[in-house]
Amino acid sequence: MKSAIVLGGGMVGVATALHLQRRGWSVTLVDRREPGRETSYGNAGMIQAEAVRPYPMPRDLATLLKIATGRTNDVRYSLSSLHLHIEPLARYWWHSAPKRHRDAIAAWARLIAYATGEHDVLIREAHADNLIRRAGYRAVYRDAAALEHSIKDAEEDQREFGVKFRVLSGSELARAEPILRDDLPGAIHWLDTWTVSDPGALVTAYAELFERSGGTIVIGDAQSLRQTATGWSVATDKSRIDAASAVVALGPWSPDLLHQFGYRIPLVRKRGYHMHYSGGASLDLPMVDKSNGYAMGPMAKGIRITTGAELTSPDALATPVQLASAEASARELIDLGKRAEPDPWFGTRPCTPDMLPVLGPSPRHPGLWMNFGHGHQGFTLGPATGRLLAEMMNGETPAIDPAPYRTERF
Ligand SMILES: Cc1cc2nc3c(=O)[nH]c(=O)nc-3n(C[C@H](O)[C@H](O)[C@H](O)COP(=O)(O)OP(=O)(O)OC[C@H]3O[C@@H](n4cnc5c(N)ncnc54)[C@H](O)[C@@H]3O)c2cc1C
């Protein structure tokens, strides 16, 4: 029987483990904590069928000036850690040029096309339907010109990729979400996106499905990974385990492990924060406040606000400036209630400079595979890229051409 150690129990690792398992592999999933407790726990919980365009780095002077002078809540940076980001940002800038971004969109949209379908299979098998709403989300605008502009982009996405949406006027929006302030110009309701009331619980449900189907989950440190005469070995809290293959699915921590094998993979580390609020009004569907760069959605613990990108050092203490600003903006829209936790959660979106995941066999180590770097949409894409990697490892013809995601491109 073919065997693999999957390192990392986030959405990507758990989905990869499941797809290998259903191909008859013996799989051990290793994480230093329970599955689904890191980035895949703290996100906005959207399975984003509409996200056909990975976020490019802004290249126009007006937006860059806004970021540089702290006048946007979408992106913030800490001056003292800027040196850490210079190289990945320079590459991100290069890949964000219109022609290169178009290539990235083509490769990205091919993965997104599989996202909800692959989740659907796992949701049903994991009996996790109670966590899912298949009703989309609303992108809300406070500025009529920005709404008009976004409608044009949405129409293009519809023409090119078949993404479905509905435009809501201000009064239609007020009827759809009666708790909202009613003088907004309108919204785009993205219809195909699914939303999850507890993202960590969905990963747990998938991990339980993996265990019920004969998989093993152990606590261990991925940094103990060693190459052996027959494959790969890792130390767990009980013993060392061995397998012919190993998969690195450590999300934002993946480059740290790969460094010891001589791979230097750049990431643009975009930190995001969340906080839950309770005791206020309840939202029907999640919404993104496009004018103020945050999302908020009804979740198991209350309304969860998630913030945009902060470029800081991985070890920096929390500086939840964007959360404070998002909270103030959200309070203009709805009765948000009180903070439900003493401190905000934060985690890092693992974004590659060319906006595509790193997926496939490692360039120089037989049996070592990679699946990480899903950026803003790893929760969405875990099952789709898990399937793609498992197909490659199993020697099948992959459903999608994997060339754009190849690991040797950095
Ligand atoms: C604020 C915010 C909002 C977001 N919203 C969305 C959204 O709505 N939709 C969407 O699709 N995506 C969203 N994302 C992105 C998404 O959350 C990530 O892309 C995705 O969770 C990455 O999954 P992963 O499995 O690669 O990484 P992770 O979920 O981080 O999993 C990596 C795992 O590796 C483990 N690990 C790390 N180091 C070691 C080690 N040395 N030994 C053992 N184990 C280790 C960790 O414990 C962790 O469990 C958001 C991200 C943020 C920050």
Side-chain angles (χ1 to χ4, degrees):
M1 190 188 259
K2 295 176 185 168
S3 61
I5 299 165
V6 175
L7 300 165
M11 180 55 88
V12 174
V14 172
T16 304
L18 275 163
H19 276 289
L20 284 169
Q21 182 183 58
R22 58 194 48 195
R23 284 166 175 76
W25 286 55
S26 163
V27 185
T28 305
L29 184 71
V30 177
D31 200 298
R32 58 187 172 200
R33 351 178 23 181
E34 282 166 48
R37 295 295 97 201
E38 294 283 358
T39 334
S40 300
Y41 157 80
N43 56 60
M46 297 200 224
I47 299 176
Q48 290 186 264
E50 96 296 345
V52 288
R53 296 171 194 269
Y55 289 116
M57 182 169 166
R59 287 171 59 100
D60 63 289
L61 202 59
T63 310
L64 289 172
L65 265 175
K66 267 189 174 175
I67 295 171
T69 53
R71 283 184 293 120
T72 169
N73 203 36
D74 292 331
V75 184
R76 181 180 180 274
Y77 64 94
S78 102
L79 203 54
S80 61
S81 70
L82 207 55
H83 64 283
L84 300 172
H85 300 281
I86 295 292
E87 195 209 328
L89 282 180
R91 290 182 182 214
Y92 189 21
W93 164 273
W94 192 82
H95 285 286
S96 299
K99 153 83 181 77
R100 294 182 199 107
H101 187 220
R102 266 197 302 281
D103 293 344
I105 292 169
W108 180 260
R110 279 199 287 279
L111 292 173
I112 288 285
Y114 281 84
T116 47
E118 290 301 328
H119 268 285
D120 201 35
V121 176
L122 300 184
I123 289 165
R124 284 173 207 286
E125 290 182 15
H127 309 297
D129 220 47
N130 58 319
L131 299 171
I132 312 295
R133 263 195 87 189
R134 295 173 169 81
Y137 79 94
R138 299 188 182 96
V140 173
Y141 293 78
R142 302 193 191 205
D143 166 2
L147 173 60
E148 282 311 311
H149 187 83
S150 296
I151 292 171
K152 291 209 169 55
D153 288 347
E155 285 166 349
E156 207 176 309
D157 289 349
Q158 189 169 43
R159 270 193 309 277
E160 276 187 48
F161 303 104
V163 175
K164 295 198 193 73
F165 68 96
R166 197 163 85 81
V167 177
L168 301 180
S169 65
S171 54
E172 286 170 328
L173 176 61
R175 273 200 298 282
E177 284 288 6
I179 63 159
L180 264 187
R181 217 181 72 185
D182 63 359
D183 59 347
L184 298 166
I188 297 177
H189 183 171
W190 294 100
L191 299 167
D192 295 332
T193 289
W194 296 352
T195 56
V196 181
S197 58
D198 186 342
L202 187 63
V203 181
T204 303
Y206 290 177
E208 286 170 359
L209 170 65
F210 169 71
E211 280 190 305
R212 274 202 303 281
S213 313
T216 308
I217 301 180
V218 289
I219 301 291
D221 185 355
Q223 291 289 348
S224 66
L225 185 72
R226 300 287 175 267
Q227 193 167 20
T228 66
T230 52
W232 296 90
S233 162
V234 74
T236 74
D237 58 350
K238 297 204 173 71
S239 61
R240 278 203 91 79
I241 49 168
D242 290 275
S245 304
V247 179
V248 179
L250 297 165
W253 294 276
S254 302
D256 304 344
L257 171 60
L258 290 167
H259 195 255
Q260 57 161 299
F261 297 99
Y263 300 108
R264 284 168 205 277
I265 299 180
L267 279 190
V268 181
R269 296 170 186 276
K270 299 187 190 173
R271 186 186 275 190
Y273 295 81
H274 89 214
M275 172 57 70
H276 292 101
Y277 299 83
S278 59
S282 59
L283 276 173
D284 174 31
L285 285 179
M287 66 171 58
V288 174
D289 181 348
K290 294 301 273 189
S291 313
N292 294 294
Y294 67 94
M296 63 175 161
M299 292 228 178
K301 290 187 186 161
I303 289 184
R304 178 184 287 189
I305 288 188
T306 44
T307 65
E310 184 187 47
L311 299 175
T312 186
S313 96
D315 317 318
L317 297 175
T319 46
V321 176
Q322 287 157 298
L323 179 67
S325 166
E327 181 180 320
S329 298
R331 289 193 191 285
E332 289 168 12
L333 292 180
I334 65 169
D335 169 13
L336 194 58
K338 287 203 177 102
R339 286 189 170 208
E341 289 130 347
D343 299 306
W345 172 91
F346 63 85
T348 301
R349 299 169 182 91
C351 301
T352 58
D354 65 1
M355 294 159 272
L356 297 176
V358 180
L359 192 155
S362 67
R364 297 184 296 278
H365 292 80
L368 183 63
W369 298 77
M370 305 183 192
N371 192 4
F372 64 90
H374 299 63
H376 291 252
Q377 271 91 29
F379 189 68
T380 299
L381 286 178
T385 62
R387 171 178 160 186
L388 184 54
L389 190 81
E391 287 170 341
M392 293 169 78
M393 291 175 70
N394 205 37
E396 300 165 33
T397 305
I400 304 171
D401 173 13
Y405 326 111
R406 65 195 179 282
T407 59
E408 59 272 28
R409 65 190 202 272
F410 293 113

